[in-house]
Short mmCIF file of all heavy atoms in Angstrom, two decimals:
data_model
loop_
_atom_site.label_atom_id
_atom_site.label_comp_id
_atom_site.label_asym_id
_atom_site.label_seq_id
_atom_site.Cartn_x
_atom_site.Cartn_y
_atom_site.Cartn_z
N LYS U 24 -39.05 214.07 -108.58
CA LYS U 24 -39.09 215.43 -108.03
C LYS U 24 -38.94 216.50 -109.10
O LYS U 24 -39.48 217.58 -108.98
CB LYS U 24 -38.00 215.61 -106.98
CG LYS U 24 -38.10 214.64 -105.82
CD LYS U 24 -39.37 214.86 -105.03
CE LYS U 24 -39.40 213.93 -103.83
NZ LYS U 24 -40.66 213.33 -103.58
N HIS U 25 -38.20 216.18 -110.13
CA HIS U 25 -37.95 217.19 -111.16
C HIS U 25 -37.89 216.54 -112.54
O HIS U 25 -36.96 215.81 -112.85
CB HIS U 25 -36.63 217.93 -110.90
CG HIS U 25 -36.29 218.92 -111.95
ND1 HIS U 25 -37.00 220.08 -112.17
CD2 HIS U 25 -35.31 218.92 -112.89
CE1 HIS U 25 -36.47 220.73 -113.18
NE2 HIS U 25 -35.45 220.05 -113.63
N ILE U 26 -38.91 216.82 -113.32
CA ILE U 26 -38.91 216.38 -114.72
C ILE U 26 -38.71 217.65 -115.55
O ILE U 26 -39.56 218.53 -115.55
CB ILE U 26 -40.22 215.66 -115.09
CG1 ILE U 26 -40.40 214.42 -114.22
CG2 ILE U 26 -40.21 215.30 -116.58
CD1 ILE U 26 -41.73 213.72 -114.38
N ALA U 27 -37.57 217.73 -116.22
CA ALA U 27 -37.19 218.96 -116.92
C ALA U 27 -38.06 219.22 -118.15
O ALA U 27 -38.33 220.37 -118.49
CB ALA U 27 -35.72 218.89 -117.33
N ASP U 28 -38.49 218.14 -118.81
CA ASP U 28 -39.24 218.33 -120.05
C ASP U 28 -40.19 217.15 -120.26
O ASP U 28 -39.78 216.00 -120.14
CB ASP U 28 -38.26 218.42 -121.23
CG ASP U 28 -38.92 218.75 -122.56
OD1 ASP U 28 -40.11 219.11 -122.58
OD2 ASP U 28 -38.23 218.64 -123.59
N ARG U 29 -41.42 217.47 -120.55
CA ARG U 29 -42.42 216.48 -120.98
C ARG U 29 -42.89 216.93 -122.35
O ARG U 29 -43.33 218.06 -122.51
CB ARG U 29 -43.63 216.47 -120.05
CG ARG U 29 -43.41 215.94 -118.67
CD ARG U 29 -44.74 216.05 -117.89
NE ARG U 29 -44.60 215.70 -116.52
CZ ARG U 29 -44.94 214.52 -116.01
NH1 ARG U 29 -45.44 213.59 -116.79
NH2 ARG U 29 -44.78 214.27 -114.73
N SER U 30 -42.82 216.03 -123.31
CA SER U 30 -43.32 216.40 -124.63
C SER U 30 -44.15 215.27 -125.21
O SER U 30 -43.93 214.10 -124.93
CB SER U 30 -42.19 216.82 -125.57
OG SER U 30 -41.29 215.77 -125.77
N GLU U 31 -45.11 215.66 -125.99
CA GLU U 31 -46.10 214.76 -126.58
C GLU U 31 -45.90 214.72 -128.09
O GLU U 31 -45.88 215.76 -128.75
CB GLU U 31 -47.50 215.29 -126.23
CG GLU U 31 -48.62 214.81 -127.10
CD GLU U 31 -48.86 213.32 -127.00
OE1 GLU U 31 -48.67 212.73 -125.92
OE2 GLU U 31 -49.20 212.72 -128.03
N TRP U 32 -45.71 213.51 -128.65
CA TRP U 32 -45.45 213.37 -130.08
C TRP U 32 -46.52 212.53 -130.77
O TRP U 32 -46.43 212.30 -131.98
CB TRP U 32 -44.07 212.75 -130.28
CG TRP U 32 -43.02 213.60 -129.67
CD1 TRP U 32 -42.50 213.48 -128.40
CD2 TRP U 32 -42.40 214.75 -130.24
NE1 TRP U 32 -41.58 214.48 -128.18
CE2 TRP U 32 -41.51 215.27 -129.29
CE3 TRP U 32 -42.52 215.40 -131.47
CZ2 TRP U 32 -40.73 216.42 -129.52
CZ3 TRP U 32 -41.74 216.52 -131.70
CH2 TRP U 32 -40.86 217.01 -130.74
N THR U 33 -47.53 212.08 -130.04
CA THR U 33 -48.58 211.23 -130.61
C THR U 33 -49.77 212.08 -131.03
O THR U 33 -49.73 213.30 -130.97
CB THR U 33 -49.04 210.16 -129.61
OG1 THR U 33 -49.87 210.75 -128.61
CG2 THR U 33 -47.88 209.46 -128.96
N ASP U 34 -50.85 211.42 -131.40
CA ASP U 34 -52.08 212.12 -131.79
C ASP U 34 -53.10 212.17 -130.65
O ASP U 34 -54.25 212.49 -130.88
CB ASP U 34 -52.69 211.47 -133.03
CG ASP U 34 -53.05 210.01 -132.83
OD1 ASP U 34 -52.86 209.47 -131.72
OD2 ASP U 34 -53.52 209.37 -133.79
N GLU U 35 -52.69 211.86 -129.42
CA GLU U 35 -53.64 211.80 -128.31
C GLU U 35 -53.73 213.06 -127.46
O GLU U 35 -54.64 213.19 -126.64
CB GLU U 35 -53.32 210.60 -127.40
CG GLU U 35 -53.65 209.29 -128.05
CD GLU U 35 -53.44 208.11 -127.15
OE1 GLU U 35 -52.59 208.15 -126.23
OE2 GLU U 35 -54.14 207.10 -127.36
N ASN U 36 -52.79 213.97 -127.61
CA ASN U 36 -52.82 215.25 -126.91
C ASN U 36 -52.91 215.10 -125.39
O ASN U 36 -53.74 215.72 -124.73
CB ASN U 36 -53.98 216.13 -127.42
CG ASN U 36 -53.79 217.58 -127.02
OD1 ASN U 36 -52.66 218.04 -126.87
ND2 ASN U 36 -54.89 218.29 -126.86
N THR U 37 -52.06 214.25 -124.83
CA THR U 37 -51.95 214.11 -123.38
C THR U 37 -50.50 213.80 -123.03
O THR U 37 -49.77 213.21 -123.83
CB THR U 37 -52.86 212.99 -122.83
OG1 THR U 37 -52.73 212.93 -121.41
CG2 THR U 37 -52.51 211.63 -123.42
N LEU U 38 -50.08 214.22 -121.86
CA LEU U 38 -48.74 213.90 -121.37
C LEU U 38 -48.78 212.74 -120.38
O LEU U 38 -47.75 212.23 -119.97
CB LEU U 38 -48.11 215.12 -120.71
CG LEU U 38 -47.82 216.29 -121.66
CD1 LEU U 38 -47.41 217.52 -120.87
CD2 LEU U 38 -46.75 215.90 -122.66
N ASP U 39 -49.97 212.36 -119.95
CA ASP U 39 -50.13 211.33 -118.92
C ASP U 39 -49.85 209.94 -119.50
O ASP U 39 -50.18 209.64 -120.64
CB ASP U 39 -51.54 211.38 -118.35
CG ASP U 39 -51.67 210.60 -117.06
OD1 ASP U 39 -50.66 210.43 -116.35
OD2 ASP U 39 -52.78 210.15 -116.74
N ASP U 40 -49.25 209.08 -118.68
CA ASP U 40 -48.96 207.70 -119.04
C ASP U 40 -50.16 206.84 -118.68
O ASP U 40 -50.32 206.46 -117.53
CB ASP U 40 -47.70 207.23 -118.31
CG ASP U 40 -47.29 205.81 -118.64
OD1 ASP U 40 -47.97 205.17 -119.46
OD2 ASP U 40 -46.28 205.35 -118.08
N GLY U 41 -50.97 206.50 -119.66
CA GLY U 41 -52.16 205.69 -119.42
C GLY U 41 -51.87 204.21 -119.28
O GLY U 41 -52.75 203.44 -118.91
N LEU U 42 -50.64 203.79 -119.57
CA LEU U 42 -50.28 202.36 -119.51
C LEU U 42 -49.35 202.02 -118.36
O LEU U 42 -49.31 200.89 -117.91
CB LEU U 42 -49.63 201.93 -120.83
CG LEU U 42 -50.51 202.03 -122.06
CD1 LEU U 42 -49.71 201.69 -123.31
CD2 LEU U 42 -51.71 201.11 -121.94
N GLY U 43 -48.54 202.97 -117.92
CA GLY U 43 -47.61 202.73 -116.83
C GLY U 43 -46.22 202.32 -117.26
O GLY U 43 -45.29 202.32 -116.45
N HIS U 44 -46.03 201.97 -118.53
CA HIS U 44 -44.72 201.48 -118.98
C HIS U 44 -43.65 202.57 -118.92
O HIS U 44 -42.55 202.35 -118.42
CB HIS U 44 -44.81 200.88 -120.38
CG HIS U 44 -43.61 200.11 -120.75
ND1 HIS U 44 -42.50 200.68 -121.34
CD2 HIS U 44 -43.31 198.78 -120.61
CE1 HIS U 44 -41.59 199.75 -121.56
NE2 HIS U 44 -42.05 198.58 -121.11
N GLY U 45 -43.96 203.74 -119.44
CA GLY U 45 -43.00 204.84 -119.42
C GLY U 45 -42.65 205.26 -118.00
O GLY U 45 -41.49 205.58 -117.70
N THR U 46 -43.64 205.24 -117.12
CA THR U 46 -43.42 205.58 -115.72
C THR U 46 -42.47 204.57 -115.08
O THR U 46 -41.55 204.93 -114.34
CB THR U 46 -44.75 205.63 -114.97
OG1 THR U 46 -45.62 206.58 -115.61
CG2 THR U 46 -44.56 206.03 -113.51
N PHE U 47 -42.70 203.28 -115.36
CA PHE U 47 -41.82 202.23 -114.83
C PHE U 47 -40.39 202.43 -115.30
O PHE U 47 -39.44 202.40 -114.51
CB PHE U 47 -42.33 200.84 -115.23
CG PHE U 47 -41.36 199.75 -114.91
CD1 PHE U 47 -41.24 199.27 -113.62
CD2 PHE U 47 -40.55 199.21 -115.91
CE1 PHE U 47 -40.32 198.27 -113.32
CE2 PHE U 47 -39.63 198.22 -115.61
CZ PHE U 47 -39.51 197.74 -114.31
#
Side-chain angles (χ1 to χ4, degrees):
K24 301 296 184 222
H25 177 68
I26 300 173
D28 186 10
R29 291 179 186 260
S30 60
E31 160 64 34
W32 301 93
T33 75
D34 60 1
E35 289 184 332
N36 197 29
T37 182
L38 294 171
D39 195 26
D40 181 1
L42 297 175
H44 193 272
T46 303
F47 170 78

